[in-house]
Amino acid sequence: MQVKNICCIGAGYVGGPTMAVIALKCPHINVTVVDANPEKIKAWNGPLEQLPVYEPGLAEVVKEARRRNLFFSDDISGNIEKAEMIFMAVNTPTKTEGEGAGMAADLRYIEACALDIAKYSKSDKIVIEKSTLPVRTAEKIKEILISEGSGVHFEILSNPEFLAEGTAIQDLFKSDRVLIGGDETESGQNAVQALVDIYANWIPKEKILTTNVWSSELAKLASNAMLAQRISSINSLSSLCEITGANIEELSKAIGMDHRIGPKFLKASVGFGGSCFQKDILNLVYLCKYYGLEEVADYWHQVIKINDYQKNRFAQKIIDHFGGDLTGKKITVLGWAFKENTNDSRESPAIYVAEKLFKAGAILEIYDPMVSKESIFRNIDFYWGSSKKGDLKSQISVIDSVSKLDLSNDAVAILTQWEAFKSLDYLKTVVFDGRGVLSSSRYSIGRG
Ligand code: NAD
Ligand code: UGA
């Protein structure tokens, strides 16, 4: 099949960058990204410095592709109708109510996409799951498309995204692999080939892996679970290091030099954050329970429990340092994003650590180079629940420039590993570094 028009539903952290790269690499295809949020579409069409997603290299890609074959639009129906291939890149958060609340993936946005596709399609379409979904979701999507559609043929593929925020463009240019799951029928395989042909414009063929739909859906959840598992493993050992005098960075290096283990994802931290690891593992745990695999569910749930333990342990270290009470103590919080080089703060460990410090009475001065004051207060409002009832105005301030930071406060907590924080002059400050190296001699900890 000759694909001339692609439509992507969802202009977020995945839809925006992935489609920008497809448009850049496939100048012969028109790529239109649509979203239910018109403000977001406006921002994607606006000045390059104010795109809704901050990613190194993204603005350059958008600049070039937007001049040619990349479009952002709020005309969902028209663009569905026009496209031969439709990506669904909408959010799939953890359910907050109903069956599976707190664990299962909330599929309402995916279902809404499927309904729209069924409603507005007047010709055959290839429909692609780009969002991260529970295994066997394609079955549900097919049901919706068939029951609500007007007789056109839909082929459903799974093509999960593996980019990491902060390195999204580099990851998309040089993916470790592109995974495409499709039906083993002739039309299924034709659809797989149509998508392979798109990626083959810049991804070497041997890196494009085709599987059945269920393997592809599950491989995405499993990949995130295994990455997070490595972080929880090293973080669990950081507490043992602190008691025994072993050094966690030395330990990581020694373990990672075994080529069978490898050095990546062994950096101890204040815990992993981001919108995906926790929700995807919870989803995996839910699926295991659903299929009666209690032991498997418990095994993966432990990855989350260690992560919660690590965030809590870090905040408690700071509180204990001041004798259990932070009333009146001024603490500089460096970093709010869930990792460096992104403006995304969803599920950031900083939110949880700051909450605990705040509850213990601390006066917080927060600074992040990319997360705005509005986003920080939105996060506090969303995540802190009843604990935000303290005096937010007098206890929390957000600094908008590194030059305004007061490093003579009672303590500094480094919660995101931004490069800019490495060269600050901490000489007279008590520094708690979220790299799990609380007793490092790099800073004058305890000698403030
Ligand atoms: P996001 O929240 O940044 O973006 C989702 C967008 O979809 C939003 O702009 C929302 O307005 C839009 N949307 C929701 N329902 C819609 C509908 N019915 N019609 C039109 N627009 C709709 O989410 P994201 O971070 O881009 O993640 C999307 C999916 O990709 C998730 O399943 C996530 O797990 C997966 N994923 C994310 C990353 C990442 O780094 N963020 C990486 C790999 C996979
Ligand atoms: C992660 C995966 O790396 C991507 O492959 C996947 O596509 C994506 O989730 C997703 O499905 O959303 P992301 O969350 O953007 O990407 O970023 P990571 O680099 O994986 O970092 C996640 C968290 O782990 C961050 O809080 C980071 O600071 C932490 N981390 C990472 C550590 O604590 N130690 C490490 O060694 C590595």
Side-chain angles (χ1 to χ4, degrees), residues 16-17 20-21 24 44 48 51 53-65 166-173 341:
V21 169
L24 184 79
W44 279 111
L48 291 165
L51 295 178
V53 171
Y54 170 72
E55 276 295 334
L58 174 66
E60 289 78 359
V61 174
V62 170
K63 184 179 175 193
E64 192 173 337
T167 53
I169 297 302
Q170 180 185 320
D171 295 341
L172 290 163
F173 280 175
N341 295 328

Side-chain angles (χ1 to χ4, degrees), residues 210-283:
T210 58
T211 64
N212 77 30
V213 183
W214 320 131
S215 307
S216 173
E217 288 177 336
L218 187 55
K220 172 62 198 178
L221 288 184
S223 295
N224 273 1
M226 293 197 70
L227 288 168
Q229 180 209 42
R230 281 175 70 103
I231 302 170
S232 277
S233 296
I234 204 72
N235 281 343
S236 71
L237 291 168
S238 71
S239 54
L240 188 57
C241 282
E242 284 162 33
I243 296 170
T244 58
N247 177 303
I248 191 64
E249 287 185 325
E250 291 174 358
L251 198 76
S252 292
K253 190 167 183 191
I255 297 168
M257 281 175 80
D258 185 324
H259 75 278
R260 294 167 302 177
I261 298 174
K264 305 248 171 87
F265 269 71
L266 287 181
K267 255 189 263 146
S269 64
V270 63
F272 58 75
S275 63
C276 294
F277 278 172
Q278 173 163 306
K279 81 150 165 81
D280 291 346
I281 295 175
L282 288 172
N283 186 359

Side-chain angles (χ1 to χ4, degrees), residues 126-146:
I126 298 174
V127 177
I128 301 170
E129 299 174 341
K130 185 53 112 178
S131 300
T132 303
L133 296 166
V135 55
R136 298 201 79 87
T137 303
E139 217 163 39
K140 273 196 197 152
I141 294 174
K142 196 176 248 172
E143 268 168 37
I144 297 175
L145 292 175
I146 291 173

Side-chain angles (χ1 to χ4, degrees), residues 9-14 35-37 40 76 89-92 109 112 131-132 161 163 165 220 276 279 346:
I9 309 179
Y13 282 87
V14 167
D35 200 286
N37 178 348
K40 211 175 251 191
I76 297 181
V90 296
N91 36 327
T92 49
Y109 306 102
S131 300
T132 303
E161 185 47 60
L163 68 79
E165 289 181 29
K220 172 62 198 178
C276 294
K279 81 150 165 81
R346 291 176 290 182

